[in-house]
Amino acid sequence: MRRTSISLLRGADTIGGSCIKITHGDASIVLDYGMPLMASGGAQLDSEAAKKPSISNGILLDITSDGKPPLACIISHAHPDHYGLVDYLPENIPVYTSEAAKVLMAVGNVFFPPALQVNRLDSCLSFKPGKAFTIGPFTITAYLMDHSAFGACSLLVEVAGKTIFYTGDFRGHGRKTTVNDYVLNAVKQPDILLMEGTTLDDGHPATFPSEQSVEQALVELIQATKAPIFVAGSGSNVDRIVSLYRAAKRTGRILVVDLYQMYLLEQLQVFSKGLPPHKDDHLRVFYPRSQCTTIVEKLGAEVLYRYQARQIKRDAIDYSSDKYIFRLSNSITKSLCKNFVEQNKAPELVYSMWQGYKEQQQSFSDIEALVGKPWIYIHTSGHAYTKALKELAEGLQAKKLIPIHTVKGEEFSQHFDNVYLMKNGEGLEL
Ligand SMILES: [Zn+2]
Protein backbone atom coordinates (compact mmCIF):
# COMPACT_ATOMS: atom_id res chain seq x y z
CA MET A 1 0.00 0.00 0.00
CA ARG A 2 1.22 3.47 -0.90
CA ARG A 3 2.03 5.66 2.04
CA THR A 4 0.63 9.14 2.49
CA SER A 5 2.57 11.73 4.44
CA ILE A 6 2.87 15.43 5.04
CA SER A 7 5.87 17.54 5.93
CA LEU A 8 6.40 21.23 6.67
CA LEU A 9 9.46 22.25 4.73
CA ARG A 10 9.16 25.72 6.31
CA GLY A 11 6.57 27.61 8.36
CA ALA A 12 6.58 25.66 11.63
CA ASP A 13 8.28 28.55 13.46
CA THR A 14 8.16 31.51 11.05
CA ILE A 15 5.68 34.00 9.62
CA GLY A 16 6.15 33.97 5.84
CA GLY A 17 7.86 31.49 3.55
CA SER A 18 5.60 28.56 4.46
CA CYS A 19 5.98 25.47 2.31
CA ILE A 20 4.12 22.19 2.76
CA LYS A 21 4.83 18.94 0.97
CA ILE A 22 2.18 16.25 0.68
CA THR A 23 3.35 12.86 -0.56
CA HIS A 24 1.44 9.77 -1.67
CA GLY A 25 3.63 6.89 -2.86
CA ASP A 26 5.93 8.35 -5.52
CA ALA A 27 3.71 11.40 -6.10
CA SER A 28 3.87 14.68 -4.24
CA ILE A 29 2.63 18.27 -4.38
CA VAL A 30 3.90 21.41 -2.69
CA LEU A 31 1.66 24.14 -1.22
CA ASP A 32 3.15 27.67 -1.29
CA TYR A 33 6.75 28.59 -2.00
CA GLY A 34 7.33 32.15 -0.87
CA MET A 35 10.20 34.33 0.18
CA PRO A 36 10.72 34.02 3.96
CA LEU A 37 10.31 37.23 5.97
CA MET A 38 12.38 35.98 8.92
CA ALA A 39 14.76 33.21 9.86
CA SER A 40 13.78 30.23 11.98
CA GLY A 41 12.08 31.20 15.26
CA GLY A 42 11.64 34.83 14.20
CA ALA A 43 15.36 35.71 13.93
CA GLN A 44 16.41 38.37 11.44
CA LEU A 45 16.72 37.12 7.87
CA ASP A 46 20.11 37.43 6.16
CA SER A 47 19.19 40.02 3.52
CA GLU A 48 22.22 39.14 1.35
CA ALA A 49 21.13 35.50 1.29
CA ALA A 50 17.62 36.55 0.29
CA LYS A 51 19.06 38.36 -2.74
CA LYS A 52 20.81 35.18 -3.92
CA PRO A 53 18.54 32.34 -2.82
CA SER A 54 20.10 28.89 -2.67
CA ILE A 55 19.54 25.65 -0.81
CA SER A 56 22.89 26.05 0.93
CA ASN A 57 22.03 29.50 2.34
CA GLY A 58 18.65 28.20 3.51
CA ILE A 59 16.37 30.41 1.40
CA LEU A 60 15.47 27.76 -1.18
CA LEU A 61 14.05 24.47 0.05
CA ASP A 62 15.09 21.03 -1.08
CA ILE A 63 11.66 20.06 -2.36
CA THR A 64 13.09 17.10 -4.29
CA SER A 65 15.03 15.66 -1.37
CA ASP A 66 13.73 12.18 -2.21
CA GLY A 67 14.89 12.57 -5.82
CA LYS A 68 11.38 12.94 -7.22
CA PRO A 69 10.17 16.39 -8.23
CA PRO A 70 6.65 17.28 -7.05
CA LEU A 71 3.84 17.11 -9.61
CA ALA A 72 2.88 20.73 -8.94
CA CYS A 73 3.26 23.72 -6.68
CA ILE A 74 0.01 25.36 -5.60
CA ILE A 75 0.07 28.96 -4.41
CA SER A 76 -2.59 30.09 -1.91
CA HIS A 77 -2.42 33.83 -2.58
CA ALA A 78 -0.52 36.71 -4.13
CA HIS A 79 1.67 37.81 -1.24
CA PRO A 80 5.41 37.49 -1.93
CA ASP A 81 5.96 35.46 1.24
CA HIS A 82 3.73 32.81 -0.38
CA TYR A 83 4.73 32.96 -4.06
CA GLY A 84 8.14 34.71 -4.09
CA LEU A 85 10.35 31.69 -4.86
CA VAL A 86 8.35 30.02 -7.67
CA ASP A 87 10.79 31.26 -10.31
CA TYR A 88 13.41 29.02 -8.69
CA LEU A 89 11.32 25.87 -9.21
CA PRO A 90 12.39 23.64 -12.10
CA GLU A 91 10.47 24.67 -15.26
CA ASN A 92 8.78 21.25 -15.49
CA ILE A 93 6.97 21.68 -12.17
CA PRO A 94 3.69 23.45 -12.98
CA VAL A 95 2.54 26.29 -10.72
CA TYR A 96 -1.16 26.80 -9.94
CA THR A 97 -2.90 29.74 -8.31
CA SER A 98 -6.34 31.37 -8.28
CA GLU A 99 -7.35 33.45 -11.30
CA ALA A 100 -7.53 36.58 -9.14
CA ALA A 101 -4.10 35.93 -7.58
CA LYS A 102 -2.69 35.55 -11.09
CA VAL A 103 -4.13 38.94 -12.06
CA LEU A 104 -2.60 40.54 -8.94
CA MET A 105 0.78 39.02 -9.82
CA ALA A 106 0.42 40.24 -13.42
CA VAL A 107 -0.18 43.79 -12.12
CA GLY A 108 2.88 43.33 -9.87
CA ASN A 109 4.90 42.32 -12.93
CA VAL A 110 4.12 45.73 -14.43
CA PHE A 111 4.73 47.94 -11.39
CA PHE A 112 6.84 46.05 -8.82
CA PRO A 113 10.64 45.84 -8.66
CA PRO A 114 12.17 42.70 -10.28
CA ALA A 115 12.53 40.85 -6.95
CA LEU A 116 8.73 40.84 -6.55
CA GLN A 117 7.94 39.82 -10.13
CA VAL A 118 7.08 36.32 -11.36
CA ASN A 119 8.90 35.61 -14.60
CA ARG A 120 7.07 32.37 -15.24
CA LEU A 121 3.60 33.85 -14.75
CA ASP A 122 2.51 33.25 -18.36
CA SER A 123 2.89 29.51 -17.88
CA CYS A 124 1.14 29.47 -14.48
CA LEU A 125 -2.13 27.56 -14.41
CA SER A 126 -5.14 28.89 -12.58
CA PHE A 127 -8.04 27.40 -10.63
CA LYS A 128 -11.49 28.65 -9.67
CA PRO A 129 -12.43 28.72 -5.98
CA GLY A 130 -14.95 25.98 -5.17
CA LYS A 131 -14.16 23.92 -8.29
CA ALA A 132 -12.15 20.75 -7.55
CA PHE A 133 -9.24 19.78 -9.80
CA THR A 134 -6.90 16.80 -9.81
CA ILE A 135 -3.15 16.47 -9.98
CA GLY A 136 -2.07 12.81 -10.03
CA PRO A 137 -3.69 11.13 -7.02
CA PHE A 138 -4.53 14.48 -5.37
CA THR A 139 -7.91 16.23 -5.58
CA ILE A 140 -7.64 19.88 -4.66
CA THR A 141 -10.41 22.36 -3.90
CA ALA A 142 -9.64 25.98 -3.18
CA TYR A 143 -11.94 28.12 -1.04
CA LEU A 144 -11.93 31.90 -1.12
CA MET A 145 -10.71 33.36 2.17
CA ASP A 146 -11.06 36.75 3.86
CA HIS A 147 -7.50 38.12 3.73
CA SER A 148 -5.64 41.30 2.81
CA ALA A 149 -4.70 39.80 -0.59
CA PHE A 150 -7.56 39.73 -3.09
CA GLY A 151 -8.31 36.17 -4.30
CA ALA A 152 -6.59 34.47 -1.32
CA CYS A 153 -7.63 30.83 -0.97
CA SER A 154 -7.43 27.98 1.49
CA LEU A 155 -6.66 24.58 -0.03
CA LEU A 156 -8.38 21.27 0.67
CA VAL A 157 -6.29 18.33 -0.51
CA GLU A 158 -7.87 14.87 -0.68
CA VAL A 159 -5.74 11.82 -1.33
CA ALA A 160 -6.31 8.11 -0.66
CA GLY A 161 -9.24 8.80 1.68
CA LYS A 162 -7.29 11.38 3.72
CA THR A 163 -8.10 15.08 3.90
CA ILE A 164 -5.68 17.90 4.55
CA PHE A 165 -6.98 21.44 4.90
CA TYR A 166 -4.52 24.33 4.69
CA THR A 167 -5.99 27.70 5.68
CA GLY A 168 -3.35 29.79 3.91
CA ASP A 169 -3.52 33.32 5.34
CA PHE A 170 -6.95 34.45 6.49
CA ARG A 171 -8.90 36.60 8.91
CA GLY A 172 -12.52 36.86 9.97
CA HIS A 173 -12.95 40.59 10.30
CA GLY A 174 -12.58 41.96 6.77
CA ARG A 175 -15.18 42.58 4.07
CA LYS A 176 -15.71 38.88 3.26
CA THR A 177 -16.34 37.37 6.70
CA THR A 178 -19.08 35.10 5.34
CA VAL A 179 -16.53 33.01 3.44
CA ASN A 180 -15.50 31.43 6.75
CA ASP A 181 -19.06 30.07 7.09
CA TYR A 182 -18.79 28.72 3.54
CA VAL A 183 -15.60 26.86 4.47
CA LEU A 184 -17.21 25.43 7.60
CA ASN A 185 -20.11 24.13 5.51
CA ALA A 186 -17.84 22.58 2.89
CA VAL A 187 -15.01 21.08 4.96
CA LYS A 188 -15.79 18.52 7.65
CA GLN A 189 -13.36 17.03 10.16
CA PRO A 190 -10.22 16.94 8.05
CA ASP A 191 -7.48 14.54 9.13
CA ILE A 192 -5.09 17.46 9.17
CA LEU A 193 -5.74 21.17 9.61
CA LEU A 194 -2.76 23.41 8.91
CA MET A 195 -3.81 26.73 10.43
CA GLU A 196 -1.98 30.04 10.43
CA GLY A 197 -1.44 31.85 13.76
CA THR A 198 0.24 35.11 12.77
CA THR A 199 -1.43 37.35 15.36
CA LEU A 200 -0.56 35.18 18.39
CA ASP A 201 2.68 37.17 18.68
CA ASP A 202 2.81 40.70 20.11
CA GLY A 203 3.30 42.44 16.76
CA HIS A 204 -0.32 42.36 15.58
CA PRO A 205 -2.45 44.32 18.07
CA ALA A 206 -6.22 44.19 17.65
CA THR A 207 -6.48 47.98 18.11
CA PHE A 208 -9.10 48.13 15.37
CA PRO A 209 -11.16 44.94 15.47
CA SER A 210 -12.49 44.99 11.91
CA GLU A 211 -12.38 46.61 8.47
CA GLN A 212 -15.69 48.34 9.32
CA SER A 213 -14.07 49.90 12.41
CA VAL A 214 -11.21 51.14 10.23
CA GLU A 215 -13.69 52.79 7.84
CA GLN A 216 -15.54 54.36 10.78
CA ALA A 217 -12.31 55.67 12.36
CA LEU A 218 -11.37 57.22 9.01
CA VAL A 219 -14.77 58.90 8.75
CA GLU A 220 -14.48 60.30 12.28
CA LEU A 221 -10.97 61.59 11.67
CA ILE A 222 -12.01 63.26 8.41
CA GLN A 223 -15.04 64.89 10.03
CA ALA A 224 -12.90 66.22 12.88
CA THR A 225 -10.25 67.90 10.73
CA LYS A 226 -9.97 70.74 8.27
CA ALA A 227 -6.86 69.29 6.67
CA PRO A 228 -6.16 67.13 3.61
CA ILE A 229 -5.33 63.53 4.49
CA PHE A 230 -2.53 61.31 3.25
CA VAL A 231 -2.90 57.59 3.87
CA ALA A 232 -0.03 55.11 3.80
CA GLY A 233 -1.43 51.69 2.97
CA SER A 234 -0.85 48.70 0.75
CA GLY A 235 -2.35 49.17 -2.71
CA SER A 236 -2.99 45.44 -3.02
CA ASN A 237 -5.03 45.42 0.20
CA VAL A 238 -8.25 45.96 -1.74
CA ASP A 239 -10.46 45.81 1.36
CA ARG A 240 -8.57 48.84 2.70
CA ILE A 241 -8.89 50.75 -0.56
CA VAL A 242 -12.63 50.11 -0.40
CA SER A 243 -12.62 51.48 3.19
CA LEU A 244 -10.88 54.62 1.95
CA TYR A 245 -13.22 54.95 -1.00
CA ARG A 246 -16.29 54.59 1.23
CA ALA A 247 -14.94 56.94 3.93
CA ALA A 248 -14.25 59.57 1.25
CA LYS A 249 -17.74 59.16 -0.17
CA ARG A 250 -19.39 59.40 3.26
CA THR A 251 -17.55 62.64 4.02
CA GLY A 252 -17.78 64.27 0.59
CA ARG A 253 -14.05 64.14 -0.09
CA ILE A 254 -12.14 63.35 -3.27
CA LEU A 255 -9.99 60.21 -3.14
CA VAL A 256 -6.78 60.51 -5.16
CA VAL A 257 -4.87 57.32 -6.05
CA ASP A 258 -2.03 56.65 -8.47
CA LEU A 259 -2.04 54.84 -11.81
CA TYR A 260 -0.94 51.56 -10.23
CA GLN A 261 -3.95 51.62 -7.89
CA MET A 262 -6.37 52.58 -10.64
CA TYR A 263 -5.10 49.87 -12.99
CA LEU A 264 -5.24 47.26 -10.19
CA LEU A 265 -8.87 48.09 -9.33
CA GLU A 266 -9.83 47.99 -13.00
CA GLN A 267 -8.19 44.57 -13.48
CA LEU A 268 -10.01 43.13 -10.46
CA GLN A 269 -13.47 44.33 -11.45
CA VAL A 270 -14.06 41.12 -13.44
CA PHE A 271 -14.06 39.27 -10.11
CA SER A 272 -16.12 41.76 -8.13
CA LYS A 273 -18.35 44.24 -9.91
CA GLY A 274 -18.94 46.18 -6.70
CA LEU A 275 -15.32 47.36 -6.58
CA PRO A 276 -14.59 51.01 -7.32
CA PRO A 277 -14.35 53.00 -9.48
CA HIS A 278 -17.97 53.74 -10.32
CA LYS A 279 -19.42 56.11 -12.88
CA ASP A 280 -19.32 59.81 -11.92
CA ASP A 281 -17.76 59.08 -8.54
CA HIS A 282 -15.22 60.85 -6.33
CA LEU A 283 -12.10 58.90 -7.42
CA ARG A 284 -9.30 60.80 -9.17
CA VAL A 285 -6.00 59.55 -10.54
CA PHE A 286 -2.57 61.11 -10.11
CA TYR A 287 -0.11 60.23 -12.89
CA PRO A 288 3.41 59.75 -11.42
CA ARG A 289 5.99 60.15 -14.18
CA SER A 290 7.70 56.82 -13.46
CA GLN A 291 4.38 54.97 -13.65
CA CYS A 292 3.53 56.71 -16.95
CA THR A 293 6.83 55.50 -18.42
CA THR A 294 6.27 51.95 -17.12
CA ILE A 295 2.73 51.85 -18.51
CA VAL A 296 3.76 53.12 -21.94
CA GLU A 297 6.56 50.54 -22.07
CA LYS A 298 4.69 47.52 -20.74
CA LEU A 299 0.98 48.10 -21.41
CA GLY A 300 0.76 50.78 -24.08
CA ALA A 301 -0.16 54.46 -23.94
CA GLU A 302 -3.88 53.74 -24.38
CA VAL A 303 -4.03 52.77 -20.69
CA LEU A 304 -3.04 56.34 -19.82
CA TYR A 305 -5.84 57.75 -22.01
CA ARG A 306 -8.37 55.40 -20.44
CA TYR A 307 -8.29 57.25 -17.09
CA GLN A 308 -7.82 60.75 -18.48
CA ALA A 309 -11.28 61.95 -17.42
CA ARG A 310 -10.25 61.23 -13.83
CA GLN A 311 -6.73 62.61 -14.03
CA ILE A 312 -5.72 65.21 -11.47
CA LYS A 313 -2.49 67.00 -12.31
CA ARG A 314 0.01 68.25 -9.75
CA ASP A 315 -0.70 71.90 -10.56
CA ALA A 316 -4.48 71.38 -10.61
CA ILE A 317 -4.53 70.36 -6.94
CA ASP A 318 -5.85 73.13 -4.68
CA TYR A 319 -3.18 73.24 -1.98
CA SER A 320 -5.23 75.50 0.26
CA SER A 321 -8.12 73.05 0.35
CA ASP A 322 -9.05 70.19 2.68
CA LYS A 323 -11.19 68.33 0.14
CA TYR A 324 -8.73 65.51 -0.65
CA ILE A 325 -7.67 62.12 0.66
CA PHE A 326 -4.55 60.76 -1.03
CA ARG A 327 -3.14 57.24 -1.22
CA LEU A 328 0.17 57.56 -3.05
CA SER A 329 3.78 56.40 -2.77
CA ASN A 330 5.89 57.94 -0.02
CA SER A 331 7.99 59.96 -2.47
CA ILE A 332 4.95 61.62 -4.07
CA THR A 333 3.26 62.01 -0.68
CA LYS A 334 6.34 63.92 0.48
CA SER A 335 6.41 66.30 -2.47
CA LEU A 336 2.66 67.04 -2.31
CA CYS A 337 2.75 67.46 1.50
CA LYS A 338 5.41 70.12 1.01
CA ASN A 339 3.03 72.14 -1.21
CA PHE A 340 0.22 71.89 1.37
CA VAL A 341 2.53 72.90 4.23
CA GLU A 342 3.61 75.97 2.24
CA GLN A 343 -0.07 76.96 2.00
CA ASN A 344 -0.47 76.53 5.79
CA LYS A 345 -2.59 73.44 5.23
CA ALA A 346 -0.46 70.82 7.00
CA PRO A 347 -2.07 67.45 6.19
CA GLU A 348 -3.10 64.70 8.61
CA LEU A 349 -1.07 61.52 8.13
CA VAL A 350 -2.78 58.14 8.47
CA TYR A 351 -0.73 54.98 8.76
CA SER A 352 -2.79 51.99 7.65
CA MET A 353 -0.44 49.01 7.42
CA TRP A 354 1.52 46.65 9.65
CA GLN A 355 3.67 48.79 12.04
CA GLY A 356 6.87 46.96 11.11
CA TYR A 357 7.11 48.64 7.67
CA LYS A 358 7.20 52.09 9.29
CA GLU A 359 10.21 51.13 11.38
CA GLN A 360 12.02 49.77 8.32
CA GLN A 361 11.60 52.86 6.09
CA GLN A 362 13.14 56.23 6.88
CA SER A 363 10.76 58.03 4.50
CA PHE A 364 7.92 57.76 7.05
CA SER A 365 9.84 59.82 9.63
CA ASP A 366 10.90 62.27 6.89
CA ILE A 367 7.24 62.94 6.05
CA GLU A 368 6.38 63.33 9.74
CA ALA A 369 9.18 65.88 10.17
CA LEU A 370 8.07 67.81 7.10
CA VAL A 371 4.42 67.98 8.13
CA GLY A 372 5.08 68.42 11.86
CA LYS A 373 2.44 65.85 12.86
CA PRO A 374 2.76 62.17 13.76
CA TRP A 375 1.27 59.32 11.72
CA ILE A 376 -2.12 58.32 13.13
CA TYR A 377 -2.44 54.54 13.28
CA ILE A 378 -5.71 53.23 11.75
CA HIS A 379 -5.29 49.61 10.74
CA THR A 380 -6.67 46.13 11.29
CA SER A 381 -4.61 43.03 10.64
CA GLY A 382 -4.85 40.93 7.48
CA HIS A 383 -4.68 37.93 9.78
CA ALA A 384 -7.27 36.34 12.06
CA TYR A 385 -7.31 37.27 15.72
CA THR A 386 -7.64 34.52 18.34
CA LYS A 387 -11.46 34.55 18.36
CA ALA A 388 -11.70 33.86 14.61
CA LEU A 389 -8.93 31.25 14.77
CA LYS A 390 -10.89 29.49 17.54
CA GLU A 391 -14.15 29.64 15.58
CA LEU A 392 -12.52 28.03 12.56
CA ALA A 393 -10.66 25.38 14.56
CA GLU A 394 -13.77 24.51 16.60
CA GLY A 395 -15.96 24.45 13.52
CA LEU A 396 -13.65 22.21 11.50
CA GLN A 397 -12.95 19.68 14.30
CA ALA A 398 -9.77 18.42 12.68
CA LYS A 399 -8.18 15.23 13.97
CA LYS A 400 -4.83 17.02 14.11
CA LEU A 401 -4.26 20.78 14.07
CA ILE A 402 -0.75 21.69 12.96
CA PRO A 403 0.42 25.30 13.55
CA ILE A 404 1.94 27.09 10.57
CA HIS A 405 2.82 30.70 9.66
CA THR A 406 3.40 31.58 13.32
CA VAL A 407 6.21 32.11 15.79
CA LYS A 408 3.93 30.94 18.60
CA GLY A 409 3.23 27.33 17.64
CA GLU A 410 3.84 26.17 21.20
CA GLU A 411 0.98 28.40 22.41
CA PHE A 412 -1.61 26.83 20.09
CA SER A 413 -2.58 24.17 22.65
CA GLN A 414 -3.67 26.96 25.06
CA HIS A 415 -6.36 27.96 22.55
CA PHE A 416 -7.17 24.94 20.38
CA ASP A 417 -7.80 21.17 20.66
CA ASN A 418 -5.84 18.35 19.00
CA VAL A 419 -2.75 20.47 18.39
CA TYR A 420 0.15 18.56 16.89
CA LEU A 421 3.45 20.43 16.71
CA MET A 422 5.70 19.71 13.77
CA LYS A 423 9.27 20.81 13.20
CA ASN A 424 10.50 22.10 9.85
CA GLY A 425 11.56 19.19 7.68
CA GLU A 426 9.83 16.59 9.84
CA GLY A 427 7.38 14.17 8.20
CA LEU A 428 4.08 12.82 9.50
CA GLU A 429 2.52 9.71 8.10
CA LEU A 430 -1.26 9.79 7.72
ZN1 LIG B 1 -0.79 36.90 3.10
Side-chain angles (χ1 to χ4, degrees), residues 62 71 81 85 111 165 264 267 269 276 305 333 357 386 390 398 405 409:
D62 192 3
L71 298 174
D81 63 318
L85 295 173
F111 294 98
F165 184 68
L264 178 86
Q267 295 298 301
Q269 276 191 326
Y305 303 132
T333 291
Y357 299 126
T386 311
K390 273 187 162 170
H405 204 277

Side-chain angles (χ1 to χ4, degrees), residues 18-20 30-34 73-77 82-83 166 168:
S18 305
C19 184
I20 302 146
V30 162
L31 311 182
D32 280 345
Y33 195 34
C73 174
I74 299 149
I75 301 298
S76 63
H77 66 285
H82 291 259
Y83 73 75
Y166 168 46

Side-chain angles (χ1 to χ4, degrees), residues 136-200:
F138 306 96
T139 300
I140 298 137
T141 314
Y143 295 97
L144 211 56
M145 296 302 268
D146 179 26
H147 182 46
S148 47
F150 194 92
C153 287
S154 56
L155 299 165
L156 176 70
V157 179
E158 295 166 277
V159 56
K162 302 288 181 189
T163 50
I164 297 144
F165 184 68
Y166 168 46
T167 61
D169 289 357
F170 79 104
R171 59 180 175 175
H173 56 268
R175 294 196 177 275
K176 299 180 292 296
T177 52
T178 50
V179 297
N180 290 8
D181 300 334
Y182 184 65
V183 166
L184 291 176
N185 282 326
V187 182
K188 303 285 180 203
Q189 291 184 292
D191 292 287
I192 300 288
L193 165 61
L194 292 144
M195 186 172 79
E196 74 125 304
T198 313
T199 67
L200 296 178

Side-chain angles (χ1 to χ4, degrees), residues 19 50 57 64 82 92 102 181 196 216 240-241 247 277 299 353 379 381 390:
C19 184
N57 71 20
T64 58
H82 291 259
N92 58 354
K102 203 175 163 184
D181 300 334
E196 74 125 304
Q216 187 55 31
R240 187 59 42 82
I241 301 306
L299 300 169
M353 299 187 274
H379 176 58
S381 179
K390 273 187 162 170

Side-chain angles (χ1 to χ4, degrees), residues 10-18 36 38-43 404-407 424:
R10 184 162 47 213
D13 62 352
T14 49
I15 293 169
S18 305
M38 54 178 70
S40 191
I404 190 165
H405 204 277
T406 184
V407 290
N424 290 323

Side-chain angles (χ1 to χ4, degrees), residues 79-315:
H79 274 156
D81 63 318
H82 291 259
Y83 73 75
L85 295 173
V86 295
D87 278 341
Y88 295 93
L89 287 169
E91 277 290 322
N92 58 354
I93 301 177
V95 174
Y96 290 74
T97 195
S98 77
E99 288 174 339
K102 203 175 163 184
V103 167
L104 272 186
M105 290 181 207
V107 175
N109 276 358
V110 175
F111 294 98
F112 291 174
L116 297 178
Q117 295 181 15
V118 182
N119 294 321
R120 60 180 296 170
L121 192 63
D122 285 347
S123 68
C124 283
L125 302 161
S126 54
F127 52 74
K128 278 190 170 47
K131 197 165 182 288
F133 59 103
T134 57
I135 298 170
F138 306 96
T139 300
I140 298 137
T141 314
Y143 295 97
L144 211 56
M145 296 302 268
D146 179 26
H147 182 46
S148 47
F150 194 92
C153 287
S154 56
L155 299 165
L156 176 70
V157 179
E158 295 166 277
V159 56
K162 302 288 181 189
T163 50
I164 297 144
F165 184 68
Y166 168 46
T167 61
D169 289 357
F170 79 104
R171 59 180 175 175
H173 56 268
R175 294 196 177 275
K176 299 180 292 296
T177 52
T178 50
V179 297
N180 290 8
D181 300 334
Y182 184 65
V183 166
L184 291 176
N185 282 326
V187 182
K188 303 285 180 203
Q189 291 184 292
D191 292 287
I192 300 288
L193 165 61
L194 292 144
M195 186 172 79
E196 74 125 304
T198 313
T199 67
L200 296 178
D201 69 6
D202 301 328
H204 296 81
T207 328
F208 292 87
S210 66
E211 200 56 47
Q212 272 78 13
S213 71
V214 164
E215 180 185 322
Q216 187 55 31
L218 286 165
V219 167
E220 285 166 18
L221 172 77
I222 299 163
Q223 285 169 341
T225 182
K226 290 262 178 289
I229 292 172
F230 283 81
V231 180
S234 159
S236 66
N237 184 351
V238 174
D239 271 14
R240 187 59 42 82
I241 301 306
V242 171
S243 295
L244 282 178
Y245 181 85
R246 288 171 54 91
K249 187 176 183 195
R250 286 170 62 186
T251 53
R253 295 241 187 167
I254 293 166
L255 176 62
V256 182
V257 299
D258 59 13
L259 282 162
Y260 154 70
Q261 188 71 75
M262 181 67 197
Y263 181 72
L264 178 86
L265 288 169
E266 181 199 68
Q267 295 298 301
L268 292 179
Q269 276 191 326
V270 289
F271 303 103
S272 176
K273 292 203 168 31
L275 282 181
H278 300 290
K279 202 169 179 286
D280 302 325
D281 67 3
H282 55 292
L283 188 75
R284 298 291 173 269
V285 186
F286 186 85
Y287 283 39
R289 197 174 302 156
S290 62
Q291 290 182 2
C292 291
T293 311
T294 301
I295 284 176
V296 171
E297 268 173 22
K298 295 189 176 177
L299 300 169
E302 66 275 11
V303 175
L304 297 181
Y305 303 132
R306 213 145 74 201
Y307 315 134
Q308 225 163 23
R310 296 177 179 274
Q311 185 183 6
I312 182 157
K313 293 185 177 166
R314 188 181 287 267
D315 52 13

